[in-house]
Amino acid sequence: MTLDDRAASAAFIAALEAGDLEGVRRAPKAESHTHGPFGGDRAWLAARTGRDIVPVATPLVSMDEMHAWTATHVGDLFKGPEGRRLGWEGAFVRARRDGLTRVEFGDDVWMITQGVGDAPALYAGISAAQAAVAPEIVWVPQLGLSRHCKRSWLWRWITPFLEAGGWEALDLSGDELIQPIEVFQPLYRECKTRGMRLKAHVGEWGTADDVWKAVESLELDDVQHGIAAADSPAVMRFLADHAITLNVCPTSNLLLGRVARLEDHPIRALFDAGVRVTINSDDALVFGVGVSEEFLALHQAGVFSAEELDQIRRWSLTPAE
Ligand SMILES: [Zn+2]
C-alpha cells in the first residue's frame, strides 16, 4: 500500500467508528452493482424535476411489487432521450457524492428499441453525462441483458453494441427463475472473446447450486448478489478457489425480503469462507441508500469491524484478475 492508501484506510476506519457518514463518503471506493438511472441522486432529481422519489421503506414481497412500485414512483421519468440523459446525470451525481472513484454500469441492449438512439448514441449519451457531471470518476461501460428475453432477440440487439465497441462488462438481470442459465452461454462466450468482464444476477432468488451452475456455464468473473451461496460450504469453497467476486447489496436484500435482518446477512458467512465480496447499492433511488450508507449500516449492525470493511472497500478498488 502507498502512503496515500494507508491514509485513506485510516480515515475510512476512523469515520466508520465515529459514525461519520461524510467521512465514509470521502474514502475512495468502487461500485460494480448499480442500475444506472435507478442509482440516481434523490435530492438532485427532485431539484431538477420537482418530483421527490420517496424510497421503499418496508419490505416488498416480490419482483412484481417492485415493478409496481417503480411504475408508481418513477413512471416515465427516464424515458425518451431527455429522460435517459437526466437518469445518467443523476447516477453520476450520486456516484460523486458517494465517493465512488470507479463505477460499472450501462444500458440494457433492449434500449435500442425504445427510441433513445442507436448503440453508438447510447454510449455517447452516458459518456457525455459523465463528462458533464463527474469526469474524475472512471466509468466502466457495461451492457445489460434481460433474463426473460429470447436469445434470438438478445443476439439481434447486442450485435450493434459489440460492433461499435467500447463496452467492457456484461450483466444479466431480471427474473432469475424464468429461463435456464445455459440459454445465455453463446452470448457470454462471444463477450468473453472480446475481453469483457462477465457478470450475472444469480443467487438472489435462486439457490447456491444456481450460483455454481451460472459461474461454470457462463464463465463469470463476478456474481451480482449470489448470497444463496452461503447455504453451501462447497459452493463457497468453489467461489473462493476461483476468486469469483460477489457484488452484494444488503439493503436491497432486506427490502426485497431476501434477508430478514441486517445482523444476520449472509455476507458475513461468505467473507468468513474466503469469498471476495464487495458492497453495493443496487438501486440507490429505490432503496434510499448509497454505498457509503451500506458500509456504515454494516458496521453499526456489528456485521463487520471497521478494518474488515476497509478490506472490502479495497477489494472493490482492485477487481480480481
Ligand atoms: Zn441488481
Side-chain angles (χ1 to χ4, degrees), residues 4-170:
D4 277 359
D5 292 340
R6 270 198 209 103
S9 285
F12 180 69
I13 289 167
L16 283 172
E17 287 174 345
D20 167 16
L21 178 60
E22 285 308 318
V24 174
R25 283 178 173 155
R26 276 194 296 275
K29 60 187 85 66
E31 184 168 34
S32 300
H33 186 165
T34 174
H35 297 271
F38 285 87
D41 188 90
R42 175 182 172 186
W44 183 86
L45 283 165
R48 281 286 293 265
T49 67
R51 184 196 298 219
D52 183 25
I53 300 172
V54 180
V56 169
T58 50
L60 305 174
V61 298
S62 65
M63 283 308 281
D64 284 346
E65 264 201 19
M66 166 88 179
H67 294 144
W69 184 93
T70 303
T72 308
H73 291 78
V74 180
D76 291 342
L77 197 61
F78 303 133
K79 297 227 170 107
E82 290 304 308
R84 223 59 203 150
R85 175 72 188 243
L86 178 80
W88 294 120
E89 291 191 357
F92 283 112
V93 170
R94 197 272 303 173
R96 195 183 55 200
R97 190 171 51 86
D98 219 350
L100 303 187
T101 50
R102 194 186 83 246
V103 64
E104 288 182 23
F105 59 44
D107 233 329
D108 195 293
V109 296
W110 165 80
M111 286 306 293
I112 56 167
T113 69
Q114 296 301 298
V116 294
D118 59 10
L122 280 168
Y123 185 100
I126 306 172
S127 192
Q130 182 212 5
V133 174
E136 73 285 4
I137 294 179
V138 176
W139 168 51
V140 179
Q142 175 177 299
L143 284 177
L145 306 176
S146 289
R147 184 127 178 196
H148 67 275
C149 295
K150 281 173 68 171
R151 187 166 70 199
S152 57
W153 302 347
L154 295 173
W155 270 123
R156 186 176 344 144
W157 297 334
I158 201 173
T159 299
F161 287 97
L162 296 180
E163 283 171 353
W167 300 92
E168 297 172 26
L170 178 70

Side-chain angles (χ1 to χ4, degrees), residues 218-286:
L218 305 183
E219 299 186 64
L220 299 179
D221 299 295
D222 291 34
V223 174
Q224 307 296 69
H225 296 296
I227 54 172
D231 295 334
S232 164
V235 173
M236 288 197 285
R237 199 173 324 118
F238 166 81
L239 295 171
D241 287 350
H242 292 84
I244 307 299
T245 301
L246 264 52
N247 298 317
V248 178
C249 309
T251 301
S252 165
N253 297 150
L254 292 175
L255 289 174
L256 288 175
R258 304 290 79 213
V259 172
R261 299 187 330 139
L262 187 58
E263 289 79 355
D264 306 325
H265 197 287
I267 193 171
R268 179 75 234 184
L270 293 162
F271 181 88
D272 287 339
V275 179
R276 197 177 161 114
V277 292
T278 68
I279 290 163
N280 305 266
S281 62
D282 207 3
D283 299 293
L285 204 51
V286 181

